[in-house]
Amino acid sequence: MTYLERIRIAHADPEQLEQTYRTALQSGDDDAFAGAIEDAYAEAPDNLLFSAWHYRLAYEVTRPMRRAVPWMVAILLAVTNGLIFWWLSADQYVIKVGGQSHLPLFLIVWAPISAVFVLMLLVASGAKQSRWAALLGVAILALGAYPLWAHTLIGAQTLERHYLDQMVPHLALLAWSAVGLFVLRGRADASNRFAFLIKSLEIFIMGGLFAIAGGIFTGITAGLFEALAITLPDVVMRLLVAGGFGLIPILAVTVIYDATAAPAAQSFDDGLSRVIATLMRVLLPLTLLVLVIYLGFIPFRFWEPFQNRDVLIIYNAMLFAVVALLVGATPIQPGALTPGLRFWLRRGLIAVALLAVVVSVYALAAIGYRTWEGGITLNRLTIIGWNVINIAILSLLLIRQRRAGEHAWPQAMQAAFGAGMPVYVGWAMFVVLATPWLFR
């Protein structure tokens, strides 16, 4: 039972509500309790008990809070990860297809290796599940090693290359899911799942900021030596680029995530969290405008995706971007929004999801036509699977929004995204493990 459900039951029982609060404090879920109180207060602002708790917690939040960040451990793990990336980025570590070099080994294994170091960081930061972390670490490393053998099962070299190319994003998704399984163990309810999605989005954006800063630093460093007519050797450039890249996953998690608290108990109302939520909501009407204009052009270029595979790749990238936008714009603490903003935000989210479904069904029809004409391939199978999954998630979101009231719609939207997480992981596992056997 979620905290919001418990609070609703105790709407006229001060003692039961106090006991619920003390239970949340003992389990480190006080922020989740506070968010649930805000949701309950937004649903029933005339309830005196909810009003009292709203103002009580509002004053509690103003007190300064600190979390202990294990910077020495984080830096040690980040540097170790960076050195491994630097070592693996050497020219001799390359995957060959048909006797010819095709893909650097580093691109396949970087995400599983990073996931192991992130799990080590979380354990060192206070998450008390070291055995579970070790088990997940072994599992994700095994998944990372599997394609290095499995690609040899595929008969056609073209399909073998396609499989290896697909492993780069799919193994990154599975590495992310391994970390998710760790932090959500024993608390995989809808609110914690959605909170994990939001924190993941924040970590990815923070990683992007680190990458930009690292790129600027590398460019300035190389430029300074070039000014002296000195060209940095390849080993040094790989240390700056690949080694620097290895620092990013660990440092981004260190800055954003508090390992001692559940995902729903993380901070979402300050710093980068607030900036990202605002940015996503600003982008929402712009995305809606672009989708409306794009749908207007479809009748004039209707057959383009049926004839051009590159257009279908763009459609899939668009669909994932729209899902990420919807996740980032969905409020995790609806009580903090004004009634007017909640009203229009809900309608904007529904409109974007609806138009994205229309465009995605159009793209699915195009890939279905190409498959009927040219037969099933590894790329087509993968794209069809992701299209169907994303359409199903967006359709579930729309169905739940139709049934949800004006007060419960944020929870319904969060639950829809949370329900899609296991499906994402399941399809990624299928692509990694099963497709080499299907296309032997």
Side-chain angles (χ1 to χ4, degrees):
M1 184 181 296
T2 65
Y3 283 113
L4 181 58
E5 292 170 339
R6 297 179 190 177
I7 291 169
R8 286 171 178 161
I9 293 173
H11 68 281
D13 189 341
E15 181 180 2
Q16 184 178 351
L17 193 53
E18 179 67 29
Q19 291 176 350
T20 302
Y21 175 60
R22 293 183 180 277
T23 301
L25 285 178
Q26 293 173 358
S27 59
D29 293 338
D30 45 316
D31 285 346
F33 177 87
I37 282 289
E38 290 302 310
D39 293 340
Y41 176 68
E43 293 176 2
D46 295 331
N47 185 294
L48 293 179
L49 185 57
F50 293 164
S51 299
W53 273 94
H54 164 73
Y55 288 108
R56 172 183 172 180
L57 294 176
Y59 285 108
E60 288 286 331
V61 169
T62 60
R63 295 187 304 178
M65 297 180 63
R66 288 186 176 182
R67 70 179 179 97
V69 179
W71 281 111
M72 292 300 296
V73 175
I75 291 173
L76 178 62
L77 292 173
V79 169
T80 305
N81 196 43
L83 291 175
I84 292 175
F85 280 19
W86 168 64
W87 174 56
L88 291 175
S89 64
D91 292 339
Q92 64 264 33
Y93 297 111
V94 65
I95 302 174
K96 295 184 177 182
V97 176
Q100 297 182 343
S101 299
H102 173 65
L103 197 68
L105 174 65
F106 167 77
L107 294 179
I108 297 289
V109 300
W110 77 266
I113 293 174
S114 295
V116 171
F117 279 95
V118 168
L119 291 171
M120 293 170 63
L121 172 68
L122 295 176
V123 171
S125 300
K128 301 176 182 179
Q129 302 184 70
S130 56
R131 291 184 179 180
W132 180 231
L135 179 61
L136 289 171
V138 171
I140 192 59
L141 287 178
L143 281 172
Y146 176 81
L148 305 180
W149 164 78
H151 76 93
T152 60
L153 298 175
I154 302 175
Q157 292 184 8
T158 300
L159 295 182
E160 191 175 351
R161 294 188 181 95
H162 290 169
Y163 172 74
L164 289 170
D165 294 340
Q166 287 189 18
M167 291 306 98
V168 179
H170 284 87
L171 286 176
L173 174 59
L174 290 176
W176 165 81
S177 67
V179 177
L181 287 172
F182 177 77
V183 301
L184 291 172
R185 188 185 186 192
R187 48 195 180 193
D189 55 275
S191 60
N192 274 302
R193 285 188 186 185
F194 184 75
F196 174 72
L197 287 176
I198 293 292
K199 278 300 169 184
S200 297
L201 185 60
E202 292 180 20
I203 290 170
F204 296 151
I205 293 177
M206 177 59 72
L209 295 176
F210 276 134
I212 292 172
I216 294 174
F217 173 78
T218 301
I220 292 175
T221 302
L224 287 174
F225 282 95
E226 287 290 343
L228 300 176
I230 299 174
T231 300
L232 294 177
D234 176 69
V235 66
V236 175
M237 289 304 298
R238 287 193 297 106
L239 181 62
L240 291 173
V241 177
F245 178 68
L247 304 177
I248 293 175
I250 314 304
L251 295 181
V253 173
T254 304
V255 171
I256 297 296
Y257 196 80
D258 182 1
T260 61
Q266 302 289 316
S267 174
F268 294 98
D269 57 357
D270 57 2
L272 188 61
S273 299
R274 181 169 293 182
V275 172
I276 292 175
T278 303
L279 177 62
M280 294 300 178
R281 290 162 193 167
V282 169
L283 290 175
L284 195 65
L286 299 177
T287 303
L288 180 60
L289 178 62
V290 169
L291 287 173
V292 170
I293 295 174
Y294 184 81
L295 286 172
F297 277 99
I298 284 180
F300 303 100
R301 302 294 297 272
F302 184 82
W303 292 104
E304 189 67 23
F306 290 78
Q307 301 168 348
N308 189 344
R309 66 185 294 269
D310 293 336
V311 175
L312 290 173
I313 295 175
I314 294 173
Y315 277 148
N316 274 271
M318 178 277 299
L319 187 53
F320 280 105
V322 167
V323 171
L325 174 67
L326 293 174
V327 170
T330 299
I332 192 167
Q333 296 174 339
L337 303 179
T338 63
L341 180 56
R342 284 164 59 99
F343 177 86
W344 289 109
L345 179 60
R346 180 189 187 188
R347 279 144 186 82
L349 291 168
I350 292 174
V352 169
L354 181 60
L355 294 181
V357 168
V358 174
V359 175
S360 300
V361 170
Y362 169 56
L364 184 60
I367 188 64
Y369 171 81
R370 291 177 61 86
T371 302
W372 179 61
E373 286 283 313
I376 191 71
T377 66
L378 194 149
N379 280 346
R380 288 171 183 168
L381 175 63
T382 303
I383 291 175
I384 288 173
W386 284 121
N387 267 4
V388 170
I389 290 170
N390 283 321
I391 291 171
I393 292 173
L394 293 176
S395 299
L396 177 64
L397 183 153
L398 293 171
I399 292 171
R400 292 192 174 184
Q401 286 304 300
R402 181 178 176 83
R403 297 173 180 172
E406 285 297 327
H407 296 297
W409 71 264
Q411 291 78 17
M413 188 163 286
Q414 294 174 14
F417 288 123
M421 291 175 62
V423 185
Y424 266 52
V425 176
W427 182 249
M429 289 281 289
F430 175 84
V431 172
V432 172
L433 298 176
T435 50
W437 300 90
L438 295 176
F439 292 92
R440 294 187 68 178

